[in-house]
Amino acid sequence: MLDQVLGSSLRSIARFVPNGVLERRFTILIYHRVLSEHDPLLNGEPDAKMFDWQMELLSRHFRPVSLFEALKASQEGRLAPGTVCVTFDDGYADNVEVALPILKRWGIPATFFIATGFLNSGRMWNDSVIETVRRLEGKEIDLSDYGLGVESIATITNRQELIGKMLRALKYLPSEERHSSVESFSQLVNELPSDLMMTQQQLQQLSRSGMEVGAHTVNHPILARVTEEESKQEIIDSVDQLEELIGIRPRYFAYPNGRPTKDYTRRDRQLVERLGLQAAVSTHHGAVGAAADLFQLPRFTPWDRQPERFAARLAFNNIRGDSAVPNSG
């Protein structure tokens, strides 16, 4: 029944699309994690059940292909309507443990952008914040040392709000200051998980399964906030390390955080091109059109939790325009 409803809805949308539009654009989806079950502190991340119906929907009503195939078809003027690519950022272990079997079930290729410095028991700073808040005891906590005040942690909603405040307060601090603050904050609890990110063996399993592996720097810095030499080293080291680990040199790159001008600049875009990569993705929302800058490709975040809305919004992402990435400064 759902297939019939979705098929009818997508055909209705297509009637209002000018001829040739859907053959000129495709969408790149961006994911970070796929959880084994719903986690209220990670509300924006899909669980296995949700990701499964999303991939089934892509398989039945769109044309999921690899990023390589989509870019090649677009450049050659033979892009099929409904083309969509799936990408993941960072390198979480659940990408292999939970997402990979689902992708294989529905025959969907994906590109995984890996921050190599977190492989083998690493933990990203934002996860340290989230997992610390998860483990805090009591009903309130004084966070004056972090630019906040006395914060309630009595309910899940309180903890969700506190996580948001902490992430916003720390995100754009200089890396050393942020690291020091996160380390201090994490000392409020006894122990944090060390199995959130992929191991080297899981990365190799991912590559052997036929999925594409792309680079995402070593330490996930905000490139706009580091020197040109540091930016260059982060990019090239991640490419070299991945080649050493999987035996294949990555051809694609994802900018950490990914917002043009705020998270990376024209300097970083030019570095990626000069270092020999073939394309790079941002987190600017939109569809990829024929005139898209290969080194600033827009992506689309699939927030919707109902299949009908997910399918409709995905279709409209292609229809609404090329959404060119603004000048990165």
Side-chain angles (χ1 to χ4, degrees):
M1 181 63 179
L2 180 59
D3 270 357
Q4 294 175 354
V5 171
L6 287 175
S8 176
S9 298
L10 292 172
R11 285 191 295 274
S12 296
I13 292 170
R15 285 200 293 270
F16 295 95
V17 182
N19 287 338
V21 164
L22 295 181
E23 289 82 0
R24 295 197 301 267
R25 302 178 185 137
F26 69 94
T27 290
I28 305 173
L29 294 177
I30 175 175
Y31 290 91
H32 291 84
R33 303 190 62 180
V34 178
L35 310 172
S36 56
E37 56 187 31
H38 178 67
D39 182 344
L41 292 187
L42 297 169
N43 237 355
E45 306 291 357
D47 59 20
K49 183 177 180 181
M50 179 178 176
F51 187 69
D52 186 66
W53 68 247
Q54 288 180 344
M55 295 304 102
E56 179 182 6
L57 187 153
L58 293 186
S59 177
R60 294 184 184 278
H61 298 284
F62 292 86
R63 186 172 183 271
V65 301
S66 69
L67 185 55
F68 173 80
E69 185 176 346
L71 289 172
K72 191 170 188 293
S74 178
Q75 291 163 357
E76 294 176 355
R78 54 176 183 81
L79 197 65
T83 294
V84 62
C85 302
V86 174
T87 66
F88 285 81
D89 282 7
D90 299 334
Y92 286 96
D94 57 44
N95 293 180
V96 179
E97 297 164 350
V98 183
L100 182 59
I102 295 171
L103 291 166
K104 292 172 70 175
R105 179 184 309 143
W106 295 109
I108 295 178
T111 301
F112 294 80
F113 294 102
I114 308 298
T116 55
F118 302 100
L119 293 169
N120 302 319
S121 303
R123 186 175 54 251
M124 301 185 77
W125 73 267
N126 54 298
D127 290 314
S128 292
V129 170
I130 293 167
E131 297 305 323
T132 298
V133 172
R134 187 191 304 280
R135 290 161 174 77
L136 289 172
E137 297 182 353
K139 294 188 175 181
E140 63 179 30
I141 186 168
D142 186 354
L143 296 175
S144 301
D145 291 344
Y146 306 94
L148 303 174
V150 176
E151 298 285 340
S152 174
I153 52 173
T155 68
I156 288 293
T157 300
N158 293 151
R159 292 179 188 246
Q160 290 171 334
E161 292 171 351
L162 176 57
I163 287 169
K165 289 179 181 179
M166 289 291 292
L167 296 183
R168 287 190 293 273
L170 296 171
K171 187 170 187 177
Y172 288 100
L173 290 179
S175 58
E176 289 185 8
E177 183 179 348
R178 185 179 66 197
H179 176 75
S180 176
S181 295
V182 171
E183 284 294 301
S184 171
F185 183 58
S186 66
Q187 296 303 310
L188 296 174
V189 299
N190 290 328
E191 189 176 357
L192 296 180
S194 60
D195 60 352
L196 296 178
M197 310 306 287
M198 289 182 201
T199 64
Q200 175 181 325
Q201 290 73 28
Q202 287 175 317
L203 173 64
Q204 291 165 340
Q205 176 188 348
L206 193 66
S207 180
R208 287 195 304 269
S209 74
M211 300 296 168
E212 177 129 30
V213 173
H216 195 40
T217 72
V218 177
N219 299 300
H220 204 272
I222 296 172
L223 295 178
R225 302 296 182 97
V226 303
T227 68
E228 180 173 355
E229 184 57 34
E230 289 171 322
S231 178
K232 177 180 178 180
Q233 212 59 51
E234 283 282 344
I235 296 167
I236 197 64
D237 284 355
S238 67
V239 171
D240 289 345
Q241 289 169 16
L242 288 169
E243 182 178 20
E244 183 177 349
L245 288 169
I246 65 174
I248 301 170
R249 193 161 184 82
R251 51 189 165 187
Y252 304 129
F253 179 77
Y255 301 100
N257 293 329
R259 288 181 291 180
T261 69
K262 191 170 183 65
D263 299 322
Y264 72 94
T265 67
R266 180 181 296 179
R267 175 203 71 186
D268 306 302
R269 179 242 176 265
Q270 292 173 339
L271 274 173
V272 172
E273 184 173 14
R274 286 206 308 269
L275 291 170
L277 289 129
Q278 296 178 20
V281 294
S282 70
T283 57
H284 179 74
H285 286 188
V288 180
D293 180 351
L294 283 175
F295 295 93
Q296 297 190 93
L297 298 171
R299 288 189 286 178
F300 173 82
T301 305
W303 295 115
D304 300 283
R305 294 185 173 274
Q306 292 78 38
E308 299 91 336
R309 290 180 60 84
F310 178 89
R313 202 156 69 93
L314 181 51
F316 275 116
N317 187 61
N318 271 7
I319 295 167
R320 67 183 179 182
D322 290 352
S323 299
V325 177
N327 190 313
S328 53

